[in-house]
Amino acid sequence: MAAKILDGKVLSAEIREEVRKRVEKMKACGVTPGLAVILVGDDPASEIYVRNKGKGCEETGMLSRTIRMESSTTQEQLEAAIQQLNEDPAIHGILVQLPLPGHLDENAALAKILPEKDVDGFHLVNAGHLMTGTEGVLPCTPKGALYMIKSTGETLSGREAVVIGRSNIVGKPMAMLLLQENCTVTVCHSRTKDLAEHTRRADILVAAVGKAGFVTADMVKPGAIVIDVGINRVDGKVCGDVDFEKVREKAGWITPVPGGVGKMTIAMLLSNTADAAERTLER
Ligand code: NAD
């Protein structure tokens, strides 16, 4: 039987609607949540992401500000722009669109964002919160992927979860979140031997590799929840890391690309921004 589709459009609409209601309430108390995105250079993919983030803000009633900086921007100029936003009470969330041009130090820039305004959840303070299971800002993509996994209604505790990819923004935080759900988690990466041996055990399989068609049907356990984080372009078409048509015949649940995790990432960014604005109201 073909897998059930975990529809990012439907699930992200739920979150956006919930955020819209929260924004409405905050506005009634005189606070409009504000998200600022710093875009350095003119990477076309980043342009699309930034535009979609702006659209999401508009739909949910938030203030959106894009700070465009030349690709020749210096580290000092970038950090000064971050500092300005840190001090701006109208801005509750700050996001530096990655990747930055090669001459800029991403980690140093991210470290300058106030942890409470770090709506991407990349600051070391928030990474530490995730590691220790204490309250902090969760990175949007793994948070969105977990929402999709939970939407299946399946029990997660005690299940085998395999994450392919160990990046700081997807693979590692995804593994931590699944661990917090009491899954038995395996993290696979480019040096993993016998990858399929691991993936075939997975009740929950998350692919965050960046290679089109990387996960094939023979790597998937029948009935598994398969979450495809990858975004790849093949002949101008967007596709994920999973061989969708074949894997859907074997999995129990599967996310499409496009229309899957990507939609959730933006919804969680809006949700994190609403959280940040609510925290200022509480203070
Ligand atoms: P990355 O390049 O930082 O990490 C890729 C990971 O894949 C690495 O940890 C590497 O060890 C692993 N890998 C590479 N080759 C492998 C192999 N042969 N076997 C096993 N593991 C292998 O990428 P990232 O930033 O983690 O992103 C991964 C993918 O997810 C990309 O396609 C990216 O565009 C996409 N992405 C999507 C969203 C979204 O919102 N849907 C958000 C972030 C990233």
Side-chain angles (χ1 to χ4, degrees), residues 43 48 69 71 92 103 116 119 128 130 145 150 154-155 173-174 177 194 202 208 223-224 236 253:
D43 177 56
I48 297 171
M69 304 184 82
S71 47
H92 304 90
H103 67 282
E116 57 268 33
V119 282
L130 174 59
K150 284 187 168 176
E154 291 205 15
T155 304
M174 187 75 243
L177 288 177
D194 302 323
W253 303 84

Side-chain angles (χ1 to χ4, degrees), residues 114-217:
L114 276 179
E116 57 268 33
K117 292 194 178 189
D118 165 42
V119 282
D120 252 342
F122 295 161
H123 194 285
L124 291 183
V125 166
N126 286 317
H129 281 301
L130 174 59
M131 182 70 166
T132 51
T134 48
E135 201 180 323
V137 184
L138 296 175
C140 304
T141 301
K143 188 179 177 183
L146 183 65
Y147 187 97
M148 296 180 108
I149 294 168
K150 284 187 168 176
S151 78
T152 63
E154 291 205 15
T155 304
L156 302 187
S157 183
R159 308 295 291 280
E160 291 276 346
V162 173
V163 179
I164 320 176
R166 58 172 163 185
S167 70
N168 290 336
I169 61 170
V170 189
K172 282 187 207 161
M174 187 75 243
M176 291 310 305
L177 288 177
L178 289 164
L179 192 56
Q180 277 168 20
E181 296 299 326
N182 300 315
C183 293
T184 301
V185 183
T186 304
V187 182
C188 298
H189 48 80
S190 53
R191 308 283 176 90
T192 298
K193 294 208 167 57
D194 302 323
L195 179 66
E197 298 267 310
H198 297 283
T199 60
R200 276 189 213 115
R201 281 199 323 270
D203 301 306
I204 300 148
L205 178 61
V206 181
V209 183
K211 291 184 179 164
F214 184 79
V215 175
T216 48

